[in-house]
């Protein structure tokens, strides 16, 4: 049986089927990934929620109007899979959409919110992602779609005590002329646990890694006022199809550093059986995870030239500082300790990845485009 606290007050950590497998998912594949979450040590590090994304459903509802799984992919049914995932000590998540169809043109939950919430309750689901993929009436507008997400959320919370509700109302607003992104984020934060604030990470390639990380950071940095324990801005999944995507280990470290400062959920979307040992070490880094789970999104940043310092309280003491080069070429910058929220004249800086400690009276860095440096800075 699952042992992790649920719903978590920090951003959710886990795994999703989406970027590595798309719709090529099955009962045996999901179970093998859940087992790998445990055997790799990632579950012990905090990655406990196993999320089935789009592609699990049959093309039509059953005769009772209920969603049903694709029988070829999930012959034992979703409840049996959830039970096996729970038996590993993990949580189980599922996906649907607010309109009549999902992004893969499978049945969405429109006009079935109460019924689908009950189906997910019957399947003992712990986490529900509600996507936004159209399939809404022509008269739908910001008010009605916001209301739909609110109603569906209430159905889920009523049917499944402790459910984590993850939704994409802001993505609907981003994609809809005339809709207000900030109003959508504001209303999202009222009754859900996490809401996507940036587009999908696709296409995935080494060349797209740092522009994506920087654009997602820019989208999220000013939204810290909406984040609080149990309610988080969601930057999308981590390690998307790593390493098949072509991302380097440094790309992964850059993404994780920004996601941790921003207190975004950390949902790994890679084939866990192919994650190299160094990537496993980076994902399971306990100090990185502590920063991600600190209880707050970064609310303070300072920029020198092209280098931005993101700063928030490090739960292990002092400040967590992520220095990030926002430019397109190599950049150097120097920050005083007071700019980083440190009042003493000298400080020690611990590199979160190497553990190396240095003492300084200010922080000077030279970073390649998109490169980050993640430090714990403590006054001495
Ligand atoms: C949308 C979502 C993705 C994923 C796909 C599935 O694009 O934003 O996270 O769920 O749909 O089709």
């Amino acid at each position: 049986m699952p042992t992790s606290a649920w719903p978590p007050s920090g951003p959710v950590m886990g795994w999703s089927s989406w970027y590595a497998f798309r719709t090529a998912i099955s009962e045996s594949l999901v179970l093998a990934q859940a087992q790998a979450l445990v055997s790799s040590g990632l579950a012990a590090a905090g990655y406990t929620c196993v999320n089935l994304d789009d592609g699990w459903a049959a093309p039509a509802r059953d005769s009772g109007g209920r969603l049903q799984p694709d029988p070829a992919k999930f012959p034992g049914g979703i409840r049996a899979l959830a039970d096996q995932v729970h038996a590993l000590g993990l949580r189980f998540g599922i996906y649907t959409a607010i309109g009549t169809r999902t992004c893969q043109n499978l049945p969405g939950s429109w006009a079935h919110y109460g019924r689908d919430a009950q189906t997910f309750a019957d399947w003992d689901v712990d986490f529900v992602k509600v996507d936004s993929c159209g399939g809404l009436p022509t008269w739908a507008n910001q008010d009605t779609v916001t209301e739909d997400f609110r109603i569906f959320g209430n159905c889920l919370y009523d049917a499944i005590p402790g459910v984590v509700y993850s939704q994409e109302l802001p993505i609907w607003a981003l994609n809809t002329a005339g809709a207000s992104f900030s109003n959508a984020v504001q209303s999202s934060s009222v009754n859900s646990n996490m809401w996507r604030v940036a587009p999908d990470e696709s296409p995935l390639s080494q060349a797209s890694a740092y522009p994506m990380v920087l654009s997602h950071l820019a989208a999220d940095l000013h939204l810290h006022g909406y984040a609080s324990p149990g309610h988080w801005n969601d930057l999308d999944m981590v390690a998307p199809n790593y390493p098949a995507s072509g991302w380097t280990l440094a790309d992964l470290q850059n993404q994780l550093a920004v996601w941790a400062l921003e207190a975004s959920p950390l949902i790994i979307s890679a084939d866990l059986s192919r994650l190299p040992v160094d990537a496993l070490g980076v994902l399971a880094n306990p100090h990185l995870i502590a920063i991600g789970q600190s209880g707050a999104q970064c609310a303070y940043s300072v920029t020198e030239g092209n280098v931005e310092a993101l700063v928030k309280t490090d739960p292990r003491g002092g400040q967590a500082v992520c220095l990030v080069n926002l430019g397109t070429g190599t950049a150097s910058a120097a920050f005083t300790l007071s700019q980083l929220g440190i009042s003493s004249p000298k400080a020690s800086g611990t590199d979160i990845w190497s553990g190396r400690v240095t003492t300084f009276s200010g922080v000077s860095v030279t970073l390649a485009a998109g490169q980050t440096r993640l430090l714990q800075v403590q006054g001495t």
Side-chain angles (χ1 to χ4, degrees):
M1 279 301 105
T3 48
S4 55
W6 204 262
S9 65
V12 170
M13 295 173 63
W15 173 87
S16 165
S17 55
W18 183 243
Y19 282 115
F21 300 106
R22 306 277 166 168
T23 57
I25 47 180
S26 68
E27 190 175 297
S28 55
L29 180 139
V30 175
L31 200 54
Q33 293 290 312
Q35 283 158 346
L37 213 47
V38 175
S39 61
S40 63
L42 289 171
Y47 296 90
T48 56
C49 195
V50 174
N51 290 344
L52 205 49
D53 206 280
D54 203 355
W56 63 267
R61 289 173 178 266
D62 71 11
S63 55
R66 287 176 292 261
L67 288 172
Q68 55 182 343
D70 181 321
K73 294 177 179 175
F74 298 95
I78 301 297
R79 174 64 196 243
L81 177 58
D83 286 348
Q84 292 178 86
V85 169
H86 288 150
L88 291 168
L90 304 172
R91 303 284 171 176
F92 182 74
I94 204 158
Y95 165 102
T96 186
I98 201 74
T100 55
R101 58 170 186 270
T102 73
C103 292
Q104 301 304 312
N105 223 11
L106 292 166
S109 290
W110 171 258
H112 296 277
Y113 299 150
R115 188 201 305 268
D116 290 355
Q118 188 53 51
T119 300
F120 297 151
D122 293 343
W123 291 346
D124 208 8
V125 159
D126 304 288
F127 172 110
V128 179
K129 169 175 168 179
V130 180
D131 203 351
S132 169
C133 289
L136 292 161
T138 47
W139 44 260
N141 59 34
Q142 172 120 9
D143 290 341
T144 66
V145 178
T146 300
E147 186 62 3
D148 290 341
F149 273 102
R150 195 185 63 75
I151 291 170
F152 201 177
N154 289 343
C155 292
L156 292 166
Y157 287 123
D158 285 348
I160 314 171
V163 71
V164 169
Y165 174 33
S166 159
Q167 48 89 349
E168 297 204 4
L169 169 60
I171 295 294
W172 175 85
L174 269 179
N175 293 335
T176 306
S180 155
F181 175 69
S182 55
N183 283 355
V185 173
Q186 190 162 18
S187 55
S188 298
S189 63
V190 174
N191 80 331
S192 60
N193 302 84
M194 51 192 271
W195 48 93
R196 275 276 300 283
V197 297
D200 287 10
E201 293 164 349
S202 310
L204 297 172
S205 68
Q206 208 280 320
S208 65
Y210 91 76
M212 183 283 288
V213 169
L214 294 186
S215 69
H216 283 220
L217 171 61
D220 192 30
L221 197 58
H222 60 109
L223 299 176
H224 55 84
Y226 302 115
S228 63
H231 307 280
W232 303 104
N233 292 302
D234 174 11
L235 286 172
D236 204 6
M237 304 162 203
V238 294
N241 202 19
Y242 187 94
S245 56
W247 282 29
T248 63
L249 190 69
D251 293 327
L252 179 59
Q253 288 172 315
N254 293 336
Q255 182 188 35
L256 290 169
V258 168
W259 265 231
L261 264 287
E262 291 297 281
S264 175
L266 297 182
I267 298 179
I268 301 166
S269 197
D271 179 350
L272 300 177
S273 67
R274 288 167 193 246
L275 273 186
V277 171
D278 55 4
L280 283 174
V282 160
L283 285 158
N285 181 301
H287 201 158
L288 171 89
I289 290 169
I291 293 168
Q293 297 286 317
S294 75
Q297 179 175 330
C298 167
Y300 170 73
S301 61
V302 53
T303 305
E304 289 289 340
N306 277 336
V307 179
E308 186 165 33
L310 314 172
V311 183
K312 73 174 181 180
T313 303
D314 188 319
R316 295 191 173 184
Q319 306 282 37
V321 177
C322 176
L323 301 155
V324 51
N325 178 357
L326 306 177
T328 51
T330 301
S332 298
F335 295 90
T336 64
L337 291 180
S338 73
Q339 281 180 301
L340 305 178
I342 303 285
S343 50
S344 35
K346 275 206 176 313
S348 70
T350 306
D351 184 288
I352 302 303
W353 302 121
S354 68
R356 204 160 54 86
V357 182
T358 41
T359 304
F360 41 62
S361 52
V363 178
S364 300
V365 280
T366 297
L367 298 169
Q371 194 187 350
T372 60
R373 181 117 194 259
L374 182 59
L375 297 170
Q376 175 194 26
V377 183
Q378 289 179 287
T380 52

